[in-house]
């Protein structure tokens, strides 16, 4: 295999499985020219019937065949029932060799492993959280998986890199004409943002709902013009599984300290003023920072512009108090947020293209002041790993991480300096997910490192009481406590590619020895 | 010139100005295969600036050149200030030979005539109401114009027939990133539905607003991902000009009788029951029918599904009373309707693709029970003319007429049998806009004609007290009163093509002798 070194020093094969790979050149150094993908022309006439008697009927009608690509969205996260249901049906139908292109897979999707073994699934293009990632890490997938960020996935769909033959769209409510939303029905999950590009660009799309409502089903997140078939099933999943991680503010003193440092840093950075905007998610540290920032803003009368989320009740509270003017929402994590999303026009649905598509005419991540982000590892070049652990296991998806890192004025990694006595700050990350050039600050309980590229920020923070120090120092401290972790035991075979948001390749993931 | 006769018996040239024409084959007989148009890939990075100092700067930035195609939407109708402003600027810049592709032109746009004369505008693809149509009728345009319905226009944009180089989008409010709506600002006009396909498919799009609001401008009708530049001007127009015709219920006894017949016919047709839906507009007869139907529904406790509009306060009233469940809205005609549109999620914005695109996966017109439509002429084959007068003058656009006629379960022409002593019911219409096969009933003050193709309806209406009679009889009665109008004095030259919603050609319009 012939390799080229990319801009973060990783070796990228020139070609793999017939796919020519452009090595990562820098966060904004590669610009693809050309035109967007062009889905087939459809035809609409009176009396058209979209309602199918069964999932199998819909799949037959959509013309699914061996070797095609099917897609899913993950708004129901670890509560999703649709991926497994569809794969079981497809397996029964004897269709094989599919590429599975979910926006993300979760532990609930471990039956996918059986469908890889029985030949139904031949490739995966999408984020893998948990068991499927583990299975792929040990070489279980016969082909090379591709992981993309939220912005990278929509870009890939729009520019034709990821062609979807049949999109399966779970909707908590639908009408018989295919107007879909996630805010009514028994399995509400909020926006349908992840699935918009799938619906718009797939050759065929099948809506799957457990609540069929009379026409017209309003509000419309995905309109009937993008939906070929509608199937009613008993259950699309269990919304309580949306919250697979935590949506509570951390109680760990270490993590609270990180959140405190982060909030203080933002305050001192000069960004925390009227019009302030940030991205937050559902993690414990992130929620604590949201709370702390909200308290400062409320106390000081600062009127924020927007929170871009993963929306939780903590963000909704700031919104309802008028501390921030609006919410942008691609994923909802709790019931309070669904209510707000449904009822308030300033709590606005954000398609992934609006959120983070580098091939758009302007996306939201570029408008954010601050993004708080997690990591499994950060290295002394500020490169961030969110995909693998230090043993090389591919256990996490990408989310919007590299998108936010590249777009936000201040991208901030908020992490403990080690976990289970394994260092998080390292000389070199196991896998590069986001390039160091897009990371401004790393905040740990042990100190804060500013990227030397941000001399403006270093200058600004001079005299701060915060424990600001070089990242090498942080690394040394952590290694003094934990020692260096053993290098992962890897085979030669590349089991996954990490695609950067612009379509270049930033790293590869290799098979782990058992 | 070589001609072929189409399915309504009109002669269509095989080719005109290098454009090969497919003759109309029947309302659902032609199905274009292939893929949608693919707009260029854009690029979005932090710090991008879209705000231009002047319209000229934006046009320069968009790279407008001689011979290109520019587009506009007509939500401001006869109050629009943007078309004239843009053309004046382009003329000053010395750019020539453009194709003007507005969704529609109105009398306020008569300065377009000067821009045709000075060579700035070389072709028009869009509806023409009034003076520009008159000028084109007398041969003023150096090329052949093309008229399309709302559904036909979005289809043409999406399938690449109408490629837009630069779209100009008037927005009553915008933020600097290009999030647009028509519900805030000093020149509110409601939805931005006509312009959505322009924004999505044009190579470049320029938003023009007179109210720049802080980011993010919510709700978003057209998102920033589709907008390249934003220009702030003093005024985008005068919203009071939206109502160029009438938005009052007719007081003419003749027209009230027509409305009464129509409402009665609908009631007897069996369609007026729970789940009833209809399309209405802003004309006096149409409003009277809306009122009469609302009264029947309220009295009899019938719960309607939706009204598809051109929305007026009369439709909003039925909505607020709960007589209909929801409103679909592509064009608003009064302030009350703008308020309702902005504030109620069940008053839903309808892109033209959702409304009427035959190349979609399912459009709204196919879901309507009844559509009330006007006409300048109807003939004994039920063919309808909405474009020309009997003297051949091209004075009206198409609107959604052929779309609704083709989609609705009951398409109903509601017209006086003659106007100014000129017959409306004729042996053969001057121009075919909508084919007779898509028209079910013609309601006049003098009687009601049911299309013989609808034997089910004829059967159903047997025994009705309504004055139902053959259309030939109506025609004879009217000719007895008015005589036959003189045939139009036409030259050979084709000055405009009437494109059917599926992209075939249903008729041509010839130059009128002065």
């Amino acid at each position: 295999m012939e390799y080229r070194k990319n801009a973060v020093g990783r070796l990228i094969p020139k070609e793999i499985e017939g796919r020519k790979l452009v090595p990562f050149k820098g966060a904004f150094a590669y610009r693809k020219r050309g035109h967007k993908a062009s889905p087939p022309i459809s035809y609409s006439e009176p009396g058209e019937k979209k309602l199918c008697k069964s999932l199998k009927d819909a799949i037959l009608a959509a013309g699914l065949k061996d070797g095609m690509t099917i897609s899913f969205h993950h708004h129901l996260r670890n509560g999703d029932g649709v991926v497994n249901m569809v794969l079981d049906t497809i397996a029964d139908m004897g269709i094989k060799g599919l590429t599975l292109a979910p926006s993300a897979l979760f532990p609930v999707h471990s039956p996918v492993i059986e469908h890889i073994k029985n030949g139904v699934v031949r490739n995966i293009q999408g984020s893998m959280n948990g068991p499927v990632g583990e299975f792929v890490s040990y070489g279980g997938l016969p082909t090379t998986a591709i992981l993309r960020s939220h912005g990278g996935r929509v870009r890939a769909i729009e520019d034709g890199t990821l062609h979807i033959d049949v999109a399966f769209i779970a909707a908590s409510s639908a009408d018989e004409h295919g107007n879909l939303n996630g805010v009514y029905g028994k399995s509400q999950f909020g926006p349908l943002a992840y699935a918009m590009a799938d619906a718009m660009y797939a050759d065929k799309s099948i809506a799957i709902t457990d609540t069929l409502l009379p026409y017209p089903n309003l509000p419309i997140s995905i309109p009937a013009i993008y939906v070929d078939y509608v199937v009613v099933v008993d259950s699309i999943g269990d919304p309580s599984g949306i919250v697979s991680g935590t949506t509570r503010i951390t109680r760990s003193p270490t993590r609270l300290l990180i959140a405190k440092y982060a909030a203080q840093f933002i305050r001192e950075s000069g960004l925390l003023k009227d019009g302030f905007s940030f991205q937050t998610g559902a993690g414990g540290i992130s929620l604590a920072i949201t709370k702390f920032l909200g308290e400062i803003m409320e106390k000081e009368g600062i009127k924020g512009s927007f929170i871009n989320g993963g929306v939780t009740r903590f963000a909704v509270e700031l919104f309802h108090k008028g501390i921030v003017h609006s919410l942008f929402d691609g994923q909802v994590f709790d019931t309070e947020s669904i209510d707000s999303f449904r009822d308030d026009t300033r709590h606005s649905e954000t398609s992934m293209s609006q959120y983070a598509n580098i091939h758009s005419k302007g996306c939201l991540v570029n408008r954010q002041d601050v993004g708080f982000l997690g990591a499994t590892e950060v290295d002394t070049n500020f490169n961030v790993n969110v995909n693998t652990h230090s043993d090389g296991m591919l256990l996490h998806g990408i989310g919007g991480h590299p998108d936010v890192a590249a777009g936000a004025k201040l991208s901030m990694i908020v992490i403990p300096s080690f976990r289970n006595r394994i260092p998080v700050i390292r000389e070199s990350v196991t896998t590069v997910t986001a390039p160091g050039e897009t990371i401004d600050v790393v905040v740990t309980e042990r100190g804060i490192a500013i990227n030397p590229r941000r001399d403006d920020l270093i200058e600004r923070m001079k005299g701060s009481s915060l424990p600001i120090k070089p990242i090498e120092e942080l690394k040394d401290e952590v290694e003094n406590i934990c020692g260096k972790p053993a290098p992962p035991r890897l085979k030669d075979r590349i089991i996954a590619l990490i695609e950067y948001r612009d379509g270049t390749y930033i790293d590869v993931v290799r098979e782990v020895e058992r």
Side-chain angles (χ1 to χ4, degrees), chain A residues 62 69 135 179 200 214 235 265 286 339 343 359 380 407 465 472 490 493:
Chain A
T69 297
F135 179 77
N179 292 305
M200 288 174 74
S235 167
F265 190 98
S286 186
D339 293 344
D343 299 335
H359 283 177
T380 50
S465 63
E472 291 78 7
L490 302 176
R493 189 188 154 212

Side-chain angles (χ1 to χ4, degrees), chain A residues 127 148-152 279 352 355-356 365 368 371-378 382-387 396-408 410-415 419 431-436 438-442 498-501 506:
Chain A
S127 281
R148 300 185 174 96
S149 67
H150 291 330
Q279 157 127 5
M352 289 304 104
Y355 172 51
V365 292
Q368 290 176 198
F372 321 127
L373 300 162
T376 55
E377 302 176 321
V378 183
F382 288 81
N383 293 318
V384 171
N385 176 13
V386 300
N387 295 119
H396 306 281
I398 297 182
H401 195 297
D403 304 310
V404 173
L410 180 65
S411 75
M412 190 175 246
I413 307 296
V414 286
I415 40 165
R419 293 189 187 98
T431 304
V432 183
T433 312
T438 64
I439 307 298
D440 298 309
V441 185
V442 178
I498 310 296
E499 192 180 288
Y500 193 61
R501 61 198 298 257
I506 194 159

